[in-house]
Amino acid sequence: MESASKLSSERADKPVQAKKESISLNALWESISKATAFGLPRLTIRRNLRRVTASSSSSIDEEENIDRAKQLDDDGYFERLTRSAQRATKIRLFRRSDSSHISLTTLAACPMIRPVTGDELKRMYLLLLRTIEFWLDVRATALPARKEQSYVYIKEVFNVKEEQHVKWLSWVRSNYKAPQQSVHVAVLEGRNLPSRDVNGLSDPYCVMGVIPLKAGVLEGKRKVKKMKRRRSSGHEEIQEIHPTTSIVRNTVNPKWNEEFTIDIRDAGKDCLQIDIWDYDQDDSFLGAVGEVSKVRGIAGLRSFFGQIGHRMVHAAEDQFMGRVLIPLSTVPDSGFEKWFNVKSRRGREKGGEICLRVQLTTSNSASENSLSDKDFRHHWRIVRQFVRHEVCNSARGGWNGRLHQTALCLLRQHVIQTSVTDLKEAIISWLVVEEFNEKCGVQYGHIFEVLRHIEEQWNARLKLEKNPFDELTQIQVETFFDSLQSYHDWAQNILIKIRNVFPSAKPERSTILVQFLQCLSKSFDVARVRESPRGDFRKFVTSAVSESARFWFHQLGTVLSPATSCELQNILACVEIAFNSVAELFSARDFYDELFLGIDIEYFQITFRIVDIELCSTVRPHIAEVQKQLVSVSSDRGTDECNRMATASYELFLYLRKALELKTYLPASVTDVELFHMHEWFEDLVPHWIELSYREALRRIDTSLKLDCNMVGGDSTKQLCSAPDIIWLISQMIVTWKGINWPDPFVAERFFVFLCERICATVEYFADCMKRRSLWEKKSHFFCMEPFIVKKQLCVLLNDVVYVRNNLLSMPKKLNWDREFASEDSASKSALLELFSATGEDAENSIIAEIAEKMRKDIAHYSEKLVKDLVEVELVDSIKPLMSYLETNLSSLNNWLLDCPFMKILKLTYENCIGTLYHLVKDRYNLDEIAYKRLTKAAETIVAFFVADGDGLDHDSVDTEITKLLFRCVQLRRRSTAILISHYLSKLKSEETKRCHRGYLSVQIGYVETKGIYVKVLHCRNMPSSHRSANPYVTLEPFPASAFASTASCQRTKIQKDTQAPIFDETFHFEMAGNAADKKRCRGAIVFSVLNWSRFCDDSLDGEGIECLSDVPLAASESDVDGLPIRTLSLTLPGEPSGEAFRILRHRRSEEAHRFVEERQRVARLSKKAQT
């Protein structure tokens, strides 16, 4: 029902349009505002009361229903189903027991880290003292402070007293001498170097040396006197003087990748100079001229002429390309690798760059045997001691890989002064990290950096075309790869226990897990440099993840397995196992899978396969056993244990289906999944779930109705609690079905039809209970009162039925109706729609009809009294009893009923009022005009009452056939005799096509102002040939007589003898009565009767035609009538006079009505005689 404001606006914007052929109801709508002037009762309808919508039926608070279940002494069957469905649809990552990562503790808690003592401590301490004493540092001003700081640090690390420190320092100074300083240079490559050859390229090589910073520059070019030979021998001579790279032919982007070590005197004052030269093989003038064929472009031509000029003057010299000067004071302890711009001798940019790696070292370390394990072991022990000291002083959470700055400087100096290369240093760092990681934990970020550094050093050797294994001894190699193997074993254990180490309930651990996986991947990348039995990283991780899933599932089964052999306990354990398995799969998809994709491992797919196998093998036998027990249960009520078993099996189904939904994240090629067949295991259980829900719903209805018995009489009660209970029960049955979501459409349709039938049966059972209670209410004393007064108890029962039915009708939308049927034109679909519409309809209509019937009897009593009093009593007094009765009952119904049943009762009551009034009036013809006027006003007042200012019945509900009949009947009775005669003749003319055709009469007719009607009868054609001799003539009689002057009587033409097609050509004049100048007020008709004259008997009727005066055209004068269009009248034989207007005329006592009735009866007799 629309709101009052909307109805009012619609009626303001869209006024009612009356149909042309029916009585107009505009006056009825206009009378609404006038009806209140009598001071009669009005119906005020509150349309904003309880509205039944689909949303309101589904907005039942869960807590209220749980409380209601307690009141009903219910075991919570539907509540358990609801919780199961919600738990299945809202599985989230939940917190498991978290043993966390292996906690990193201090040394006191890690006794496996043995402290250094005795001779080993002394050797390490003396090595560090020697390193500090002969510190290689270009910043001499900061050297004393750094040394003093280093002494303090190592005394703290090794726990050495001051006296012992002084003694050992004195020994080092007297027994060791300072090592020779040197610089290690790696010439890697150049780019965009200047071109010196005619082909636009060069043959570059580098010459390098160390010079004092202010002593000038190194002359890298050389002059060969008296020698006219190839430059190759000259290049060899230069190599004997200064370190020189090889020659790279025909390029300006050379790649050398060569290393050199050059002794230096003072790192703070010396400078490294690298000159780049272009090697010229043909140094003669004729050789230069012979290269003209190699010239390329303008730049090549310029280089060609420049080279000819250069060789004419400097026949024995290579061409200088540029140089790089690097002060050694700018070289840090760790060295650097960078690009330098090539400059001229005067420091200007020459164009091009060269990449160099420069590092300070000592000649002693370079000259020692690089394959010796001595320095390797010493450095390893020193690093272990420094790390041990940091771990002892660090907080819990793992060592972050950071060492004290002094420790880093000491280690760098030890590397410089010994034979420990960068590769060895990186391997030693790994050995220490791996050792401390197993014992007390190291942060993964540092582990990854150590592995990456090893990989970089390894690739740097390969880039220089060196074999990294040549730098390591066999013992060092075995130690390194054994350490990697140990790390892999440790990582495998972490992967197996990944759910405890990196729980999904702690998303903050995802970063740590990513770092762990990156470290593991990088360790396999490093291990690939040598064949390893476990070198396949993907196979290693896949195997560990599979084993992890099996380990987790077996732990879960051990914890949840029941100690008894009760099948209920077994199925409940299976439910918990399935729930945890689904949660684990969600964790694998949402948390772990994304992290493992970074190392190209499909964690979810691996885990899904293992869980699928283990879960199905666990739960399938118990599903079969539950099915046997449930099928054997009686169909009446079942037992509590069976109900719980059915609930558990349904919950298990939900979890398995939830796990099956995750198959969309598997590749399409994966088809061997056990869960694909899970619906086959539960097919026989689905009808049992629905039937059990139906039984529990009926039991809940009975209990709910018992509780509601004491609530019926309460004045504040608008609706019983049982109706929301039923809606909630139906919603639970729908939730149960949606949770099933059967994949096979044909099987699903069968289940769905069964579900809908059970839902309708539930509603029908409730409606029948309400109907039986209403019958009990009918027998009560207040239902038999005279007159009938509506009581609230009956309204509450009707509200419950309507509330439930309206929600039932919205079920197709809630159930996603179209998706549940295998085909659109399914026969089950139409059958269910009819079942939904019919469910509860009988109970609702029965209560509504009983109320309307009780009110109809009283309405008939008051209406009969109203009609009797119309003549003698004023309208206000005669209609007031009826209106007061309607206002009392309908207002009560409006206050207590929902909109839908109230509007039905309102419409039935309106039809009863109008229908009763019509039947009382239609057979009464003896009322006068005043009575009919009052009756019209009474009908309008009743309509206005039921419209209720736009809040009641709408136009379509009021504009019914019985309303039209009533107003037509009253309005016809109020009309004058002349209007009734005109109305009757107009209707008779409109029906002439339904009668037997008897020929045509042609006439010309016109209206001349101030003179009247002129008619010229022309001729007849197609006359019947039933007479042997036809003597036709035409009579013209105007009706009604009161519309014409007294002289205007019936006129006739001359008789045309012996002809079937008479030609009359006669003109007649009829003078109008009253103000004949107004043609619009000209009402009535002229009846043309064609008769056959007989000398020996009465004239017979051949046909009759009617011309309404409203259709007559205007003519200026009598002579203009001949120019008017010829009108052809169809001649017919009229039947017996009938119709409401004729019956009214027959009961009229006026002479005009009496004469008209007699005339029409006479014509009817002639017509009947002519037909026979």
Side-chain angles (χ1 to χ4, degrees):
M1 210 59 179
E2 300 177 354
S3 63
S5 60
K6 186 174 181 181
L7 280 173
S8 301
S9 62
E10 285 185 357
R11 293 195 174 109
D13 297 337
K14 300 180 180 179
V16 179
Q17 299 295 330
K19 297 181 181 180
K20 184 176 180 180
E21 65 275 6
S22 64
I23 300 299
S24 173
L25 295 181
N26 285 336
L28 184 149
W29 297 110
E30 294 173 358
S31 66
I32 292 177
S33 58
K34 301 177 182 178
T36 59
F38 296 101
L40 296 175
R42 298 182 60 193
L43 178 61
T44 303
I45 299 179
R46 291 192 293 272
R47 303 294 299 283
N48 56 347
L49 297 180
R50 307 159 303 279
R51 296 185 179 275
V52 180
T53 60
S55 60
S56 64
S57 63
S58 60
S59 61
I60 301 174
D61 191 276
E62 182 180 357
E63 295 182 359
E64 293 181 0
N65 282 285
I66 293 176
D67 295 339
R68 180 68 173 172
K70 294 179 181 178
Q71 296 177 7
L72 296 173
D73 192 19
D74 200 290
D75 62 349
Y77 171 78
F78 287 103
E79 286 76 7
R80 291 200 304 271
L81 287 183
T82 302
R83 288 193 295 269
S84 300
Q86 292 177 349
R87 192 183 183 197
T89 55
K90 297 180 180 180
I91 292 181
R92 295 292 183 265
L93 302 179
F94 62 94
R95 187 178 299 276
R96 302 187 184 91
S97 58
D98 179 21
S99 62
S100 76
H101 189 270
I102 300 176
S103 60
L104 306 178
T105 59
T106 60
L107 182 63
C110 297
M112 296 179 65
I113 304 179
R114 180 177 57 86
V116 180
T117 59
D119 294 341
E120 183 180 358
L121 182 145
K122 180 179 179 180
R123 283 194 300 270
M124 294 168 58
Y125 198 82
L126 291 176
L127 286 173
L128 288 175
L129 287 176
R130 188 188 72 171
T131 302
I132 298 172
E133 186 64 24
F134 304 113
W135 197 287
L136 180 59
D137 197 336
V138 297
R139 295 169 293 179
T141 56
L143 185 57
R146 175 168 291 184
K147 286 185 176 182
E148 186 63 30
Q149 184 180 2
S150 300
Y151 288 143
V152 174
Y153 180 74
I154 63 174
K155 284 190 295 183
E156 179 185 350
V157 171
F158 289 90
N159 196 19
V160 176
K161 297 182 179 180
E162 181 65 26
E163 297 81 3
Q164 190 66 34
H165 168 74
V166 173
K167 180 180 177 181
W168 285 346
L169 179 60
S170 177
W171 186 88
V172 168
R173 288 173 177 173
S174 61
N175 287 277
Y176 290 104
K177 62 178 181 179
Q180 173 62 49
Q181 297 181 1
S182 60
V183 58
H184 183 79
V185 183
V187 184
L188 302 179
E189 58 180 319
R191 62 188 178 191
N192 302 325
L193 296 178
S195 62
R196 290 292 181 264
D197 295 340
V198 296
N199 57 2
L201 302 174
S202 300
D203 301 319
Y205 67 92
C206 297
V207 180
M208 63 201 73
V210 176
I211 62 173
L213 188 61
K214 297 182 180 180
V217 296
L218 174 66
E219 293 294 335
K221 70 176 183 177
R222 71 262 182 263
K223 297 180 181 179
V224 182
K225 297 180 180 180
K226 301 179 182 179
M227 293 183 62
K228 305 274 179 116
R229 57 185 179 183
R230 299 181 65 85
R231 299 303 296 163
S232 59
S233 60
H235 182 267
E236 293 171 358
E237 292 175 2
I238 294 176
Q239 288 180 328
E240 297 176 0
I241 303 173
H242 299 289
T244 308
T245 66
S246 60
I247 302 170
V248 183
R249 302 284 186 176
N250 297 325
T251 181
V252 292
N253 299 305
K255 294 183 182 298
W256 289 289
N257 293 325
E258 299 181 23
E259 296 181 349
F260 306 92
T261 302
I262 307 174
D263 291 340
I264 57 177
R265 295 183 182 88
D266 189 347
K269 299 179 181 180
D270 290 346
C271 178
L272 175 63
Q273 176 177 320
I274 300 176
D275 288 352
I276 306 173
W277 295 82
D278 174 50
Y279 176 76
D280 289 328
Q281 182 176 0
D282 297 325
D283 52 3
S284 64
F285 174 76
L286 294 176
V289 175
E291 295 180 353
V292 68
S293 60
K294 301 178 181 180
V295 174
R296 297 181 180 177
I298 301 300
L301 187 63
R302 187 184 304 112
S303 298
F304 171 73
F305 288 111
Q307 187 173 6
I308 291 177
H310 177 78
R311 292 190 179 184
M312 292 176 63
V313 179
H314 309 285
E317 293 184 359
D318 295 342
Q319 295 189 58
F320 179 74
M321 299 178 64
R323 69 169 40 144
V324 174
L325 292 177
I326 305 175
L328 296 181
S329 61
T330 61
V331 180
D333 293 348
S334 58
F336 58 70
E337 178 180 335
K338 60 187 296 188
W339 288 86
F340 294 90
N341 293 327
V342 178
K343 299 182 179 180
S344 65
R345 289 188 177 94
R346 296 183 180 181
R348 298 178 180 177
E349 298 288 343
K350 293 283 289 184
E353 296 175 296
I354 184 171
C355 183
L356 303 173
R357 184 169 64 244
V358 182
Q359 183 177 355
L360 295 177
T361 182
T362 61
S363 298
N364 294 344
S365 63
S367 61
E368 292 178 3
N369 183 11
S370 61
L371 296 179
S372 175
D373 283 336
K374 180 180 178 181
D375 291 336
F376 185 88
R377 291 194 303 273
H378 289 165
H379 193 78
W380 186 2
R381 290 168 182 168
I382 292 173
V383 174
R384 287 182 73 254
Q385 186 64 17
F386 286 163
V387 172
R388 178 185 177 276
H389 177 72
E390 293 295 332
V391 171
C392 291
N393 297 326
S394 65
R396 292 179 178 269
W399 178 49
N400 58 8
R402 297 178 182 176
L403 289 174
H404 195 275
Q405 186 63 33
T406 304
L408 295 176
C409 294
L410 285 171
L411 292 175
R412 185 70 253 173
Q413 285 295 320
H414 188 263
V415 169
I416 293 174
Q417 298 179 25
T418 60
S419 62
V420 178
T421 62
D422 292 342
L423 177 61
K424 290 182 179 181
E425 182 186 15
I427 291 176
I428 291 172
S429 298
W430 165 255
L431 296 176
V432 175
V433 166
E434 190 275 329
E435 177 185 1
F436 279 84
N437 180 61
E438 291 189 4
K439 295 177 180 179
C440 57
V442 179
Q443 291 187 2
Y444 296 121
H446 180 63
I447 297 176
F448 181 81
E449 290 299 324
V450 171
L451 290 169
R452 186 181 59 81
H453 186 52
I454 295 175
E455 188 177 33
E456 289 177 354
Q457 294 298 326
W458 203 278
N459 294 333
R461 269 65 180 173
L462 298 177
K463 184 177 181 181
L464 297 174
E465 299 180 355
K466 293 182 179 180
N467 187 358
F469 288 105
D470 294 342
E471 295 186 22
L472 305 173
T473 64
Q474 184 64 28
I475 296 177
Q476 295 169 0
V477 172
E478 294 297 332
T479 302
F480 172 60
F481 284 101
D482 287 346
S483 177
L484 285 176
Q485 186 68 41
S486 177
Y487 179 75
H488 293 164
D489 294 338
W490 174 84
Q492 184 182 30
N493 186 46
I494 294 296
L495 286 175
I496 291 176
K497 299 180 180 179
I498 190 173
R499 293 162 183 81
N500 296 328
V501 180
F502 304 102
S504 58
K506 293 185 177 181
E508 64 273 9
R509 301 298 297 271
S510 60
T511 304
I512 303 176
L513 176 56
V514 171
Q515 293 176 352
F516 166 74
L517 296 176
Q518 290 175 347
C519 291
L520 184 59
S521 176
K522 185 62 69 174
S523 68
F524 271 86
D525 292 341
V526 173
R528 287 195 187 98
V529 299
R530 192 177 80 164
E531 294 183 0
S532 175
R534 296 172 65 182
D536 188 353
F537 170 70
R538 184 178 179 83
K539 182 179 179 181
F540 171 81
V541 178
T542 301
S543 176
V545 172
S546 301
E547 186 62 28
S548 172
R550 293 190 186 91
F551 176 76
W552 172 84
F553 194 88
H554 292 162
Q555 274 191 330
L556 182 66
T558 303
V559 173
L560 297 178
S561 296
T564 63
S565 59
C566 176
E567 193 56 40
L568 176 59
Q569 298 299 325
N570 289 334
I571 196 65
L572 291 175
C574 290
V575 169
E576 292 302 319
I577 292 175
F579 173 78
N580 284 271
S581 299
V582 175
E584 173 57 30
L585 291 177
F586 273 97
S587 300
R589 185 198 68 177
D590 300 333
F591 183 74
Y592 296 109
D593 193 59
E594 182 179 0
L595 304 179
F596 275 80
L597 285 179
I599 57 174
D600 196 25
I601 298 296
E602 297 173 344
Y603 182 93
F604 172 74
Q605 182 178 348
I606 299 170
T607 304
F608 187 91
R609 286 180 173 274
I610 300 301
V611 172
D612 172 64
I613 296 173
E614 299 291 342
L615 180 61
C616 293
S617 61
T618 302
V619 304
R620 188 171 182 180
H622 298 290
I623 295 173
E625 186 62 29
V626 169
Q627 180 177 336
K628 293 179 182 178
Q629 295 192 20
L630 292 181
V631 171
S632 61
V633 175
S634 172
S635 60
D636 184 19
R637 281 294 187 267
T639 63
D640 179 66
E641 181 177 354
C642 291
N643 292 347
R644 294 183 61 189
M645 197 177 299
T647 306
S649 63
Y650 174 73
E651 188 174 0
L652 177 61
F653 173 84
L654 294 180
Y655 296 149
L656 294 181
R657 186 180 62 81
K658 199 69 178 179
L660 182 59
E661 290 176 0
L662 296 175
K663 69 180 179 180
T664 56
Y665 297 93
L666 298 176
S669 58
V670 178
T671 57
D672 54 339
V673 177
E674 291 292 331
L675 284 173
F676 286 172
H677 310 287
M678 60 157 288
H679 290 86
E680 300 175 1
W681 313 339
F682 293 92
E683 184 171 354
D684 293 336
L685 287 174
V686 175
H688 186 82
W689 294 338
I690 299 175
E691 184 65 27
L692 181 60
S693 299
Y694 169 66
R695 294 195 218 117
E696 290 297 321
L698 297 185
R699 189 179 64 82
R700 177 75 71 91
I701 291 173
D702 293 338
T703 309
S704 179
L705 292 177
K706 291 179 182 178
L707 291 176
D708 289 339
C709 287
N710 297 327
M711 302 175 62
V712 174
D715 292 336
S716 61
T717 303
K718 301 288 185 180
Q719 189 172 331
L720 298 179
C721 294
S722 55
D725 280 344
I726 306 309
I727 301 305
W728 186 79
L729 292 175
I730 295 174
S731 67
Q732 296 312 297
M733 298 176 73
I734 294 175
V735 169
T736 302
W737 169 250
K738 289 184 177 180
I740 295 173
N741 193 18
W742 202 264
D744 186 352
F746 296 97
V747 178
E749 181 178 340
R750 175 165 54 88
F751 291 156
F752 179 72
V753 171
F754 182 62
L755 171 71
C756 292
E757 291 174 351
R758 284 295 174 258
I759 290 177
C760 292
T762 303
V763 175
E764 188 67 35
Y765 179 79
F766 173 76
D768 288 343
C769 292
M770 294 293 103
K771 181 179 178 181
R772 289 194 298 270
R773 182 172 293 186
S774 68
L775 294 176
W776 177 83
E777 298 289 350
K778 285 170 56 177
K779 298 177 182 179
S780 61
H781 67 284
F782 55 80
F783 210 100
C784 300
M785 295 175 61
E786 294 292 343
F788 170 72
I789 302 299
V790 176
K791 292 298 181 179
K792 187 174 184 179
Q793 292 87 333
L794 197 61
C795 297
V796 172
L797 298 179
L798 181 56
N799 281 344
D800 287 344
V801 176
V802 174
Y803 181 77
V804 175
R805 282 203 70 234
N806 288 346
N807 279 273
L808 179 65
L809 295 177
S810 65
M811 288 299 166
K813 183 178 180 180
K814 296 179 182 178
L815 292 170
N816 199 357
W817 187 275
D818 296 331
R819 189 176 63 87
E820 302 295 345
F821 292 94
S823 58
E824 294 184 0
D825 55 347
S826 175
S828 302
K829 184 176 181 180
S830 57
L832 283 180
L833 285 174
E834 295 178 0
L835 179 62
F836 271 60
S837 301
T839 300
E841 184 178 12
D842 178 66
E844 177 185 353
N845 293 338
S846 176
I847 300 175
I848 291 176
E850 186 62 31
I851 295 175
E853 178 62 22
K854 284 291 182 181
M855 292 182 64
R856 187 192 65 80
K857 296 179 180 179
D858 295 332
I859 290 172
H861 170 71
Y862 288 115
S863 299
E864 185 175 0
K865 188 174 184 303
L866 167 66
V867 174
K868 289 181 179 179
D869 296 342
L870 283 176
V871 179
E872 300 177 356
V873 182
E874 292 292 335
L875 175 62
V876 176
D877 297 330
S878 60
I879 199 174
K880 190 171 183 179
L882 174 62
M883 302 303 294
S884 298
Y885 174 80
L886 292 176
E887 192 274 338
T888 300
N889 281 312
L890 292 179
S891 296
S892 300
L893 290 172
N894 179 48
N895 291 331
W896 296 332
L897 283 180
L898 299 175
D899 286 347
C900 180
F902 171 73
M903 296 308 296
K904 288 183 179 180
I905 294 178
L906 187 66
K907 186 175 181 179
L908 285 176
T909 306
Y910 170 77
E911 292 175 354
N912 288 338
C913 287
I914 298 299
T916 302
L917 205 59
Y918 171 71
H919 290 295
L920 290 173
V921 172
K922 70 175 182 177
D923 294 330
R924 296 194 178 190
Y925 301 95
N926 55 351
L927 299 177
D928 57 9
E929 185 177 354
I930 296 177
Y932 283 122
K933 185 176 181 180
R934 291 176 178 176
L935 186 60
T936 302
K937 199 65 178 179
E940 293 175 352
T941 303
I942 292 174
V943 172
F945 176 84
F946 281 93
V947 170
D949 295 334
D951 292 335
L953 298 179
D954 56 7
H955 176 269
D956 293 336
S957 300
V958 171
D959 191 14
T960 60
E961 187 64 28
I962 192 68
T963 304
K964 297 175 183 178
L965 290 176
L966 174 62
F967 277 89
R968 184 183 297 112
C969 177
V970 175
Q971 290 183 14
L972 283 176
R973 282 164 170 74
R974 288 182 58 187
R975 289 177 178 177
S976 63
T977 301
I979 295 177
L980 287 175
I981 293 174
S982 300
H983 176 75
Y984 174 78
L985 293 177
S986 297
K987 185 177 179 181
L988 192 63
K989 179 175 177 59
S990 63
E991 296 176 352
E992 63 184 8
T993 56
K994 301 178 182 180
R995 298 190 293 270
C996 179
H997 180 65
R998 304 281 290 183
Y1000 298 97
L1001 173 66
S1002 297
V1003 298
Q1004 288 178 312
I1005 184 170
Y1007 175 80
V1008 180
E1009 293 183 1
T1010 69
K1011 293 186 178 181
I1013 302 295
Y1014 286 87
V1015 180
K1016 185 175 183 179
V1017 180
L1018 300 178
H1019 55 81
C1020 291
R1021 55 187 176 89
N1022 298 339
M1023 296 292 292
S1025 58
S1026 58
H1027 302 285
R1028 293 180 180 178
S1029 60
N1031 303 309
Y1033 68 96
V1034 179
T1035 63
L1036 294 80
E1037 186 171 6
F1039 292 102
S1042 59
F1044 296 87
S1046 58
T1047 57
S1049 60
C1050 180
Q1051 303 183 46
R1052 55 179 289 179
T1053 65
K1054 296 178 180 180
I1055 300 172
Q1056 304 294 324
K1057 295 184 178 182
D1058 300 329
T1059 179
Q1060 296 288 338
I1063 299 175
F1064 301 101
D1065 199 14
E1066 297 182 40
T1067 303
F1068 302 91
H1069 174 241
F1070 297 94
E1071 184 180 354
M1072 304 296 296
N1075 188 9
D1078 189 1
K1079 191 261 177 186
K1080 295 182 180 179
R1081 299 181 60 184
C1082 185
R1083 295 179 179 179
I1086 296 179
V1087 179
F1088 297 86
S1089 300
V1090 180
L1091 295 98
N1092 185 37
W1093 177 81
S1094 175
R1095 184 184 299 272
F1096 304 104
C1097 62
D1098 294 337
D1099 296 346
S1100 62
L1101 179 65
D1102 286 340
E1104 182 184 68
I1106 301 174
E1107 182 64 22
C1108 295
L1109 299 183
S1110 59
D1111 299 332
V1112 174
L1114 289 173
S1117 62
E1118 178 182 356
S1119 60
D1120 293 336
V1121 174
D1122 295 338
L1124 293 176
I1126 297 176
R1127 305 175 70 86
T1128 301
L1129 304 180
S1130 178
L1131 299 177
T1132 60
L1133 292 178
E1136 286 291 335
S1138 62
E1140 184 68 17
F1142 187 80
R1143 286 195 293 272
I1144 297 173
L1145 289 172
R1146 192 172 56 186
H1147 289 83
R1148 290 282 175 92
R1149 298 178 181 179
S1150 64
E1151 181 181 355
E1152 181 181 14
H1154 180 69
R1155 189 169 67 85
F1156 177 79
V1157 170
E1158 289 183 348
E1159 175 63 22
R1160 296 315 302 169
Q1161 290 176 347
R1162 183 186 68 81
V1163 172
R1165 290 193 297 270
L1166 292 176
S1167 175
K1168 184 176 181 180
K1169 184 178 179 181
Q1171 292 177 0
T1172 57

